[in-house]
Amino acid sequence: MSLLDREAAGVVMTPDNIRTKRLPLGINLGIAAAGLLIAAAVVYGFGIGNYVLVVVLGVVFYLIGLQVVAGRIEGPRTARDRMWKTLIYAACVLAILPLASVVWTLVSKGVERLDGNFFGTSMNNIGARDPEGGAYHAIIGTLEQVGIATLIAVPLGVLGAIYLVEYGRGRFANTVRFFVDVMTGIPSIVAGLFILSFWVLIVSPWFNNGTPRFSGFAASLALTVLMLPTIVRSTEEMLRLVPGPLREGAYALGVPQWKTILKVVLPTALPGIVTGVMLAVARAAGETAPVLLVAGGAASINFNPFEGGQQSLALFVYQQAGDASRYAPARAWTAALTLVAIVLILTIAAKLLARRNSLSK
């Protein structure tokens, strides 16, 4: 047995067990404080910016100082490792800051109208000087439109993805995949114009004595056009991640392909499919242009998505944000917060349901 084995018996040689010189935490914090002080002196001394520039320059000075000091104490290799680790953490913080800023802005400005009147009334007979009025009609419209669009888009999207992964071969499958990719980037206004020209102006007159009519169902069709490519592409990628031996094992036991897809492939890919579906739902719930074009918006409550104009939360936010009333901005912020909360609740519920189904298999 070697001397090293006798001295370190039972000890796994990991980076944590290797004794090297480490940069003390106090020196690290001192470098950060010095960087911020130098940045503040430069920015405010020359009058070239505000606290945002101070933070940015402070990070730059901190990295420079960290490289110099850590290089002397820990050595150049450890200093470079520490600097890149700091850059990664800084990039993570920079990515989280905009999201945190959006959430804080929504919550701080949206709580003003979080009351029973907002959730229990509509904008019917509400004037510019009336502080009351709510988004009950918009919440109903959003839930109905997105719900109908989901009922249409999810089966079509999942079946289309199953065809592309399990059955699609040759030129036709490549053509379908190409058009799905093209539709992924289609502007929402184009989907609204398509449903306006086809459903509202051509099909709806057949059911309304020759008169075109806006409806929430038309908005659902437009949202379906936007949701389909996202569901197809995300589901296709999740199905491709299912290991081939799972399929081969089922085939070896004599299980037909359709039952293998239903009992093996889809349950395995279910969490990823749910994520893709919720991304599509979130996009559909936040669309304004299609609803404005084919549903028209309405100030009163309309529970029937197949007849008459209907409002949505996204369109309600757009209209209230441009309203001249001094009470409109508060309604817009609360409606935006409500929309985010609805999408968040639906996403959490779908994730929990998918997890429960996967654990019960």
Side-chain angles (χ1 to χ4, degrees):
M1 181 179 294
S2 65
L3 179 62
L4 179 61
D5 293 335
R6 288 197 301 270
E7 292 181 352
V11 178
V12 180
M13 297 305 294
T14 63
D16 294 333
N17 295 327
I18 300 176
R19 295 181 180 180
T20 59
K21 293 182 178 180
R22 306 292 296 177
L23 185 68
L25 178 61
I27 296 179
N28 200 340
L29 296 176
I31 297 172
L36 288 174
L37 289 176
I38 296 173
V42 171
V43 171
Y44 294 120
F46 291 96
I48 57 176
N50 55 14
Y51 69 95
V52 177
L53 186 58
V54 171
V55 174
V56 174
L57 285 181
V59 172
V60 174
F61 292 146
Y62 167 72
L63 292 175
I64 296 174
L66 182 66
Q67 178 68 17
V68 174
V69 177
R72 284 183 165 277
I73 297 177
E74 300 178 325
R77 291 186 60 183
T78 307
R80 284 194 298 269
D81 178 73
R82 182 181 289 275
M83 185 188 69
W84 284 110
K85 187 184 296 184
T86 304
L87 284 174
I88 293 173
Y89 287 146
C92 180
V93 172
L94 288 176
I96 294 175
L97 280 179
L99 177 61
S101 175
V102 170
V103 173
W104 171 255
T105 303
L106 277 176
V107 173
S108 61
K109 295 187 176 182
V111 296
E112 182 178 348
R113 283 299 315 275
L114 280 179
D115 50 43
N117 180 266
F118 182 83
F119 293 103
T121 60
S122 67
M123 292 299 295
N124 196 25
N125 298 323
I126 299 296
R129 297 183 178 182
D130 194 340
E132 303 297 328
Y136 178 66
H137 60 310
I139 296 173
I140 295 298
T142 296
L143 294 177
E144 289 185 352
Q145 294 163 20
V146 175
I148 294 174
T150 303
L151 291 177
I152 299 174
V154 170
L156 293 178
V158 173
L159 290 176
I162 290 174
Y163 166 77
L164 292 176
V165 175
E166 304 292 340
Y167 299 99
R169 301 291 184 273
R171 183 175 299 177
F172 179 72
N174 293 332
T175 303
V176 173
R177 191 174 291 108
F178 170 76
F179 279 106
V180 168
D181 292 336
V182 171
M183 288 179 62
T184 303
I186 187 174
S188 59
I189 190 70
V190 176
L193 288 173
F194 168 70
I195 298 301
L196 175 67
S197 60
F198 171 69
W199 182 266
V200 176
L201 298 181
I202 296 177
V203 178
S204 66
W206 296 353
F207 307 98
N208 300 295
N209 298 323
T211 303
R213 176 173 293 180
F214 292 153
S215 65
F217 181 71
S220 299
L221 294 179
L223 298 180
T224 301
V225 175
L226 298 174
M227 293 175 63
L228 262 178
T230 303
I231 295 175
V232 172
R233 290 300 293 162
S234 61
T235 305
E236 180 185 1
E237 295 301 323
M238 291 301 104
L239 294 179
R240 291 188 185 280
L241 292 177
V242 176
L246 291 179
R247 297 181 175 89
E248 296 168 1
Y251 297 153
L253 294 174
V255 180
Q257 186 175 11
W258 68 268
K259 186 172 288 188
T260 300
I261 296 172
L262 185 63
K263 298 294 185 178
V264 177
V265 178
L266 285 178
T268 305
L270 183 60
I273 295 174
V274 170
T275 300
V277 169
M278 294 315 302
L279 287 174
V281 169
R283 182 191 177 185
E287 290 294 344
T288 302
V291 182
L292 179 63
L293 283 173
V294 300
S300 58
I301 301 172
N302 180 13
F303 289 98
N304 186 359
F306 300 98
E307 184 177 354
Q310 199 174 46
Q311 186 67 278
S312 73
L313 279 171
L315 182 57
F316 181 81
V317 171
Y318 171 76
Q319 292 174 342
Q320 292 299 310
D323 199 307
S325 173
R326 66 190 183 98
Y327 302 107
R331 300 191 195 106
W333 283 111
T334 306
L337 179 61
T338 304
L339 179 59
V340 173
I342 289 175
V343 174
L344 179 62
I345 292 171
L346 292 176
T347 302
I348 294 175
K351 285 285 189 180
L352 292 177
L353 182 61
R355 182 181 178 185
R356 179 181 178 182
N357 289 339
S358 62
L359 291 176
S360 62
K361 296 293 182 181

